[in-house]
């Protein structure tokens, strides 16, 4: 985590506007707490972007949880409600989510869009692309920094594993919610996460 904190310190400048995509899970709450810890040092303008997918009974509780965290830390909270989906839930949800995040970046003239993708996510993505076939660029997965229009998408946790992030949360009393659908075998990524990744590790 020291490397991540050093990276963020080298990245930020005074009065930067940062939008953090936050589901309320261990990864995104870790990221949000790290950004909040640097708020005063850099006088950051932080916007927390939450998406309520309305696919689980816990969705509304998680929305309220993230909103309360933002209220307690005096940062802006933005919400997207998604009610209807097309056939491919994950693909449609991702498309709607990134459209929403892009709109927020334009609204607030954001400099950085922060997402909590980590090392396990990267490995899962590469394995899935290997499984279905891809080009060489695809096998790289995703990058730590990506230029997007007039802002950058930053994935500060990309060098950490899921276990390292959760251990950091628990050690530092960072609250988070658990999405139990992450353990269901009906989703392809979950099967890679549960069976392939532990074996390769």
């Amino acid at each position: 985590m020291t490397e991540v904190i050093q990276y963020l310190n080298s990245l930020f400048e005074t009065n930067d506007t940062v939008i953090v995509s936050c589901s309320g899970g261990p990864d995104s709450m870790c990221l949000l707490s790290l950004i909040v810890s640097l708020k005063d040092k850099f006088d950051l303008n932080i916007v927390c972007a939450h998406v309520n997918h309305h696919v689980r009974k816990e969705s509304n509780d998680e929305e309220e949880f993230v909103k309360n965290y933002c209220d307690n830390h005096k940062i802006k909270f933005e919400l997207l409600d998604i009610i209807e989906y097309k056939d491919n839930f994950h693909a449609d949800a991702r498309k709607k989510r990134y459209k929403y995040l892009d709109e927020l970046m334009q609204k607030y003239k954001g400099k950085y869009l922060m997402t909590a993708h980590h090392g396990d996510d990267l490995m899962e993505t590469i394995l899935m692309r290997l499984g279905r076939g891809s080009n060489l660029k695809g096998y790289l997965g995703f990058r730590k920094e990506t230029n997007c229009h007039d802002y950058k998408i930053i994935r500060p946790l990309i060098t950490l594993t899921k276990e390292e992030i959760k251990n950091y949360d628990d050690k530092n009393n960072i609250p988070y919610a658990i999405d139990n659908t992450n353990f269901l075998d009906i989703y392809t990524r979950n099967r890679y996460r549960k069976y392939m990744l532990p074996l390769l590790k």
Side-chain angles (χ1 to χ4, degrees), residues 46-58:
I46 303 172
V47 179
C48 174
H50 180 75
V51 178
N52 188 332
H53 294 282
H54 292 282
V55 294
R56 296 177 295 111
K57 61 182 181 180
E58 298 89 356

Side-chain angles (χ1 to χ4, degrees), residues 13-142:
E13 297 178 345
T14 303
N15 291 322
D16 278 348
T17 296
V18 183
I19 294 182
V20 183
S21 178
C22 182
S23 66
D27 317 324
S28 60
M29 288 304 297
C30 173
L31 176 61
L32 183 59
S33 71
L34 288 173
I35 306 301
V36 167
S37 71
L38 297 172
K39 181 175 181 285
D40 293 338
K41 179 177 181 179
F42 292 98
D43 197 19
L44 298 175
N45 303 303
I46 303 172
V47 179
C48 174
H50 180 75
V51 178
N52 188 332
H53 294 282
H54 292 282
V55 294
R56 296 177 295 111
K57 61 182 181 180
E58 298 89 356
S59 295
N60 290 334
D61 293 336
E62 289 164 6
E63 174 190 325
E64 190 65 22
F65 162 68
V66 176
K67 184 178 185 302
N68 287 338
Y69 183 91
C70 292
D71 289 343
N72 291 336
H73 291 85
K74 295 180 174 56
I75 58 177
K76 294 183 180 69
F77 174 80
E78 287 277 1
L79 171 69
L80 172 67
D81 282 303
I82 305 180
I83 307 299
E84 296 181 355
Y85 298 91
K86 296 178 181 178
D87 292 338
N88 189 326
F89 163 72
H90 277 133
D92 194 38
R94 184 180 187 280
K95 182 179 179 181
K96 286 182 168 68
R97 183 168 63 251
Y98 273 95
K99 180 177 183 293
Y100 159 66
L101 293 171
D102 184 69
E103 289 171 351
L104 287 182
M105 292 298 290
Q106 304 307 319
K107 174 181 176 181
Y108 289 100
K109 296 180 173 57
K111 184 175 181 180
Y112 299 117
L113 169 60
M114 298 274 176
T115 72
H117 294 97
H118 49 75
D120 285 22
D121 292 326
L122 178 57
M123 288 185 279
E124 291 162 12
T125 297
I126 293 172
L127 287 172
M128 289 172 66
R129 290 178 179 177
L130 282 169
R132 66 171 180 253
S134 182
N135 56 29
L136 288 175
K137 183 178 180 181
Y139 293 148
L140 291 173
F142 48 78

Side-chain angles (χ1 to χ4, degrees), residues 3-15:
E3 179 185 344
V4 175
I5 295 170
Q6 289 174 343
Y7 168 73
L8 292 172
N9 272 284
S10 69
L11 184 73
F12 291 140
E13 297 178 345
T14 303
N15 291 322

